[in-house]
Amino acid sequence: MNTKYPEYDNLDLTRIGREIETWWEENKIFEKSLALTAGKTPFIFYEGPPSANGKPGIHHVIARAIKDIFCRYKTMKGFYVHRKAGWDTHGLPVEIAVEKKLGITKEDIGKTITVEDYNKECREEVMKYKDLWDDLTVKMGYWLNLNDPYITFDNKYIESVWYLLSELYKKDLLYKGFTIQPYSPAAGTGLSAHELNQPGTYKMVKDNTVVAQFKVIRDERSEFLFRDISGDLYILAWTTTPWTLPSNTALAVGKEMDYLVVKTFNPYTHLPETVVLAKVLLNRYFPETHAALTLEEYQPGQKNIPYKVVAELKGDELTDVRYEQLLPYAQPVDGDAFRVVTGDFVTTDDGTGIVHIAPSFGADDFRTGKQNGIGSLTLVDKQGRFTEEMGEFAHRYVRAEYDKDFDPGKDTPVDVDIIVKLKKENKAFKSEKYEHSYPHCWRTDKPILYYPLDSWFIRTTACKDQMIALNKTINWKPEATGTGRFGNWLENLVDWNLSRSRFWGTPLPIWRTENRDEEKIIGSLEELKTGIDKAVAAGFMASNPLGHFIPGDMSDENYNSFDIHRPFVDDILLVSEKGEKMFREPDLIDVWFDSGAMPYAQYHYPFDKTRKLEEYFPADFIAEGVDQTRGWFYTLHAISVMLFDSVSFKTCVSNGLILDKEGNKMSKKLGNALDPFETIAKYGPDATRWYIITNSQPWDNLKFDLEGITEVQRKFFGTLYNTYAFFALYANIDGFIFKEKDVPVEQRPEIDRWILSELNSLIRSVDEFYSDYEPTKAGRAISDFVDEHLSNWYVRLSRRRFWKGEYTSDKISAFQTLYKCLEAIAQMISPIAPFFAERLFNDLNNITGRYQVESVHLTTFPVDDPELIDKSLEERMELAQKISSMVLSLRKKTSIRVRQPLNKILLPVSGDHLKIQIESVKNLILSEVNVKELEYITDAAAFLVKRAKPDYKKLGPKYGKLMKPIAETVTNFTRDEIAKLESEGQLSFSVNNSEVIILMADVEIISEDIQGWQVANMGNLTVALDITITPGLWEEGLARELVNRIQNLRKDNDFEVTDKISVRLMSRVEINLAVLNNLSYICSETLAQSFDIVDSLDTEERVAIELTDALSTFISIRRIGDT
RNA sequence: AGUCCCGUAGCUCAGUUGGUUAGAGCACUACACUGAUAAUGUAGGGGUCGGCAGUUCAACUCUGCCCGGGACUACCA
C-alpha cells in the first residue's frame, strides 16, 4: 500500500475525467452504488427520452448535469436511485429525415416505396446517433443505466401504451371528433404544423374583405341597446374570407373592451341604422371630420356620412345578445348559435373589434364554439367548393385559385358575388381589398383552408380541475414554471388531439365496422391475438400474424416474433359483436403520448408482474428544459391524473436555454452551436459541469462563455488542487496518514476550531441546498468556502504550523483539520464534479483508509456536527479578517511593507463583548499583519471622535414623516450630545414642533477617528496603527528581508525544503548588528546550522543581495553535506 | 397576439420580510507579499439598479404601464 499522497505537476481536469471514467468502468462503481443501496427506500427518477436521430448539443449537458447531480446526491443520502435510459423513437422528425435521405415525399409512400420499407428506414434512422448519445452520457459523467433502455417502438412498450389508451376509452375519455387543421383542398390532404413552417409558405395576398352587418334581435337581453334609438341595430364584424360568412354561428367581443353604439346610414342602401363597434376603431369608419355633420341633414347618396354616438358599453354587456343569421342557407344542429360571446383573442388592430366566428374554419373560432356551445356549419367540401345547401353559390370554389377553369377576364370570384349580395340586402357596411400574409400549401402553392378534420381526442378537459388541483402539489423549480407557464396552460386546456395521419408511430388500437356502428379498442396483444383468431375463424383473415406469440411469455424473443407497426397492423381485421368486419382506424397517435406513457411503459406495465407500480411510480424527481412544459411535463401529468388520479412527478426542475456569449440562441444555422464533446475534451467534464451549474440558476438562461469555464478551472479547481497539493507536500514529509487519534476539539487551536465550525456550517447548508434542488447555491457555497475560508485564510495563516518544528499535537491537529476539510469537500462536490471529487477522495483515502469503500460515490453524504458549529467563533474570525484587512490597508497607505514589524494596533471598543471576541483571535491578527501588540481603548479616551448613526429600521416606523430631519439631527450630534445620550440612555429634541426621544438602541455610535493616528473604518469597526519604527523594529525588519533573500536562494538552488544549510554573509556595518541581534530567528527560519559574518567571499560563490533600496551586500549559502 | 422568464459595473452574477454609502468574481491599473508561486493581498477607476409613473418617512426590492432579450403556445376576423 502506498504511503505517499500523490503529488502532481499540474492540474489536468481532462485527464482526470478520462482516467476516472475508465476506472469507474473497470471497477463497476455505478453498479456498486446501486448494489449498495438495493432494498433501500427508492428515489424514483424518470429519464426523459431523447430522440437519437439528432446529435446531442451542449444544451443537453445542462439538463443531464442537473439530473445526475440529484441522483448522485440522493444515492449518497442512502436512497436507491434506479435510472433507466430511454429513447423516443417515433414521429415526424424521423420521417422527415428519412424522406430527405431517400429523396422522396410523403406521396411516394405506398407508391415508390412500400410502407414496410419506409418504416424499416425509420427504425434505423432513429437510432443513428445512439452511440454518440451514449458516449456523451459516459464522458460527461451522467450515470444512467444504458444497458436496458426503454424504446418507444418496442412491441412491449406499444402494448403498454395500448393498455393506457384502452383504459382511457373505458373511462369515456377517448372520442372521435373533429378539429380545425390546415388543409390543402388542391392536394386533398391536411398539413402538419411542421409543413406549414416550411419557408415560403406564408405569402402576401390581396383579398376582398367585407364588414358585415349582423342584425340584433330585439328581446329582453338586448332591450337596453335600443334605449335611444329607433329602427334596426347591427353589430359590425370584418372578415378577409367572405366565403366563411354563410358558416357564421357567433360573434366574439373582448370582455373588457369598450364598444360604442352609433347612429348612422348604410353607405350602400342609404338606410338609417344603428351599429355597434369598438370605441378605439370609431374613427376608422367614421372620420372625425364627419363629426360635425348632422343626421337630420343627410341626403341619400352623399359621400360624407354623418354619425352620432349614442351609448358606450363594455364587451361583457353584449354577451348572449342574439342576432339574425346573416346568410341562412343551413342551420347548425349541434348548438345554440347566433349570439355574442367573449373571446380573449379579440383585438382592435384590424376590423371592428368584433370577430365573426365560423367554428369550422378557424382554430380560435372552433375553440370559441366549443367553449360556448354555439354549434357549427361546414358549408364547404373537401375540394374547397360550397356544398349543395348553398343555393345560388352551390358547388362554386370558395377561392378562385382552386378552380382550374376560372377565367379572371370573364368570371368573378365567389367572394365578390357574396359581397354584392350582402350590399344589396343591407348586410354590408364596408368592402375593400386588403393585403395580408396567408399560408399556402408548399406542394401545390395554392392557399390553404382551415378545415375541420376527423381526429381522435382525449377528453382532457373532463379532468381539468383535477389536473389543476394536483399540479399544486408539485414542487416546481422554479415555482413560476408550475404556477405560471404550466398553470396557465392547464387553465386554458383543450382536448388533446391524438391523431396523426402518418406512418411511423404507435398505431391507434381502435377497430370500427364500415358503418361505424360498432367500435372496439384493443388493450393488449393477447386480446388482439384472440380477436384475430376469431377473424380467421370467420374467414376474414387467412392466418394470424401473431400466431407465434405466446401470451404471458415476457421474453424479448416472444415479443419480437411480429411487428405491430404499420402496415402490418392495418392488415388486421376483427369481428364485431354482430359478426361484421372491423377495420383499424388508420391514424397513429401523437408521439407525445408515447413519452407521457413512459412511467408505465418503461416497465411494460401492467403486463410485467415482476415489479409493482409503486416501486417506480410516481417519480420523486424529473428534470428537463423549460420547453418541455407543454410537452413531456404535460403529457406525463395528463396521463397520470386521468388514469391514476395521481401526479406522475413530485418535483420538477426545468432549466432554461443555453445561449452563446452574445445571448443568441445556439443553432446549427448560426454556426454558434458548441460541440459538447470538444468542450468536455478541452476543459474537462467537471469544469464544464461546475461552470454550467454555478454560473447562473439553472432556470435562467445561460450565456455560455468558454472563458467562464477557464475561470472556474483556475478559481475553484485550481485553488482546491493547490490546497490539496499543499497538504500532500507536508503530509508526505511528516508521514501523516491519519493514524493518530483525533485531537480533541477543545485542544485544537482557535483557527482549527474555526475552520471546522465553518466546514460544518457549510455541510449543513449544502445539504439543505441539495435537498431543496438548489444546485447553484450548493456549488457557490462550496466554492466560497474553498476560496475564502480554506485557502485564503486557514491555509494562509496555518502554513507555518505545517512546516515548522516537530511532529507535535498542534501539527497533527493541523493535518487532521485540513484533511477533514478536503475529505468533506470531495464528498460535497461529488454530485457536481464527480470525476475530480473521485480523484481527490481516493488520493486521500487510499493512504488513510478512513473509508472502507473504494469510491466517493459509495460514501454517505457528510453530516454536520452541531457540536462543532460555533457561531460566535465564526463571528470573531470574521472580525479578525476585517481588522487584518484594515491594518494591511493602513500599511499600504503609509507604504510600510508587511515585512517591517510594527509596534501597536489601537482598537476602540465600546463593550466587553467585542473585547473578548477580539482577544481570542488577537495572535492571528498580529502575526498576519506583523504587529507586536494590540491595545484596546475604552470610551473614556478623550481623543476618540465619535459619531451617531440613526437606525432607520427602528426609528422609521416610530416617526414616519419626521425621519428625514431626525436623521439629519442625529448624524450631526455633537460630542457633548453623544456623551449625554450615552450617560443618560436617551436624548430628546424637537423637530418640526414634535418632541423626539432617541434611545441608545435607536442609534449606532461609532468611533470614527482617533486624533493623531492613522485610522481605517469599516462598518462600526475602527482601527488605528502605530507607525513609529524604532531601531529595534528596523533591525527585525532587516532580518526578515535577509531571511527572505536566503529563502529565495535556497529555492534558486533547488534545495529541498528540509535541507540544512550553512551561510556566510559579507560584513556591512549597517547590517551586522541587525543580524547578530536576530541570529537565532534567521537560523531557524532558514534551517542554517552555521551563520558567519565574513570580511570577504570568493567571487565564484558569492551572490549579490539587496536588502533595502540603500543596502546591499554579498552572501554565500551551501547545503550541508554537499562538497 | 397571449402566457411566462430575464434586464444591477466593460463581462458573469449576488442582493434575504422595503431601511444607513448597492456588493463579489473576472478584466484593467498601481503597489505589495511569497517555503501554496500558472497562487495571494491591498488600493483605484467603473452604476441615472432597462425606462416612466404610483404607493411609502424610505423603492434595486411592492404596484401599474412601457422598452429590450428569450422561451412556449397560437396564428386570428
Side-chain angles (χ1 to χ4, degrees), chain A residues 600 617 635-648:
Chain A
Y600 329 96
F617 176 86
T635 59
L636 278 176
H637 190 63
I639 294 173
S640 68
V641 171
M642 285 189 290
L643 289 178
F644 298 90
D645 195 23
S646 160
V647 297
S648 52

Side-chain angles (χ1 to χ4, degrees), chain A residues 988-996:
Chain A
S988 62
F989 55 91
S990 79
V991 155
N992 296 356
N993 299 323
S994 306
E995 184 73 3
V996 175

Side-chain angles (χ1 to χ4, degrees), chain A residues 58 396 473 636 746:
Chain A
I58 193 81
R396 290 187 62 182
T473 70
L636 278 176
E746 60 276 11

Side-chain angles (χ1 to χ4, degrees), chain A residues 501-515:
Chain A
S501 315
R502 302 295 311 193
F503 300 93
W504 175 240
T506 301
L508 192 66
I510 295 173
W511 274 258
R512 278 178 152 191
T513 54
E514 209 151 21
N515 61 11

Side-chain angles (χ1 to χ4, degrees), chain A residues 725-737:
Chain A
F726 173 86
F727 168 82
L729 176 65
Y730 293 109
N732 285 339
I733 289 173
D734 279 313
F736 172 80
I737 56 168

Side-chain angles (χ1 to χ4, degrees), chain A residues 911-1017:
Chain A
D912 276 351
H913 176 69
L914 190 62
K915 193 172 166 180
I916 293 167
Q917 287 285 71
I918 293 171
E919 189 59 24
S920 64
V921 289
K922 191 170 107 179
N923 290 337
L924 291 173
I925 298 171
L926 292 178
S927 79
E928 174 68 5
V929 300
N930 197 17
V931 176
K932 299 223 173 277
E933 62 182 292
L934 193 157
E935 190 181 306
Y936 307 97
I937 40 179
T938 53
D939 293 351
F943 56 106
L944 287 181
V945 179
K946 289 186 184 174
R947 254 191 65 195
K949 275 187 175 177
D951 187 336
Y952 283 76
K953 219 169 178 172
K954 283 195 181 116
L955 288 169
K958 260 194 256 178
Y959 293 107
K961 278 193 173 127
L962 293 172
M963 210 36 228
K964 243 179 210 156
I966 291 176
E968 211 189 317
T969 310
V970 171
T971 314
N972 293 324
F973 272 170
T974 61
R975 171 195 289 242
D976 292 343
E977 281 169 320
I978 293 174
K980 194 177 173 206
L981 174 59
E982 282 181 319
S983 61
E984 293 174 17
Q986 66 173 62
L987 189 68
S988 62
F989 55 91
S990 79
V991 155
N992 296 356
N993 299 323
S994 306
E995 184 73 3
V996 175
I997 300 172
I998 302 286
L999 304 176
M1000 275 300 276
D1002 293 335
V1003 297
E1004 198 177 341
I1005 292 171
I1006 55 167
S1007 312
E1008 212 183 35
D1009 208 354
I1010 300 168
Q1011 282 168 2
W1013 288 70
Q1014 283 292 328
V1015 166
N1017 282 298

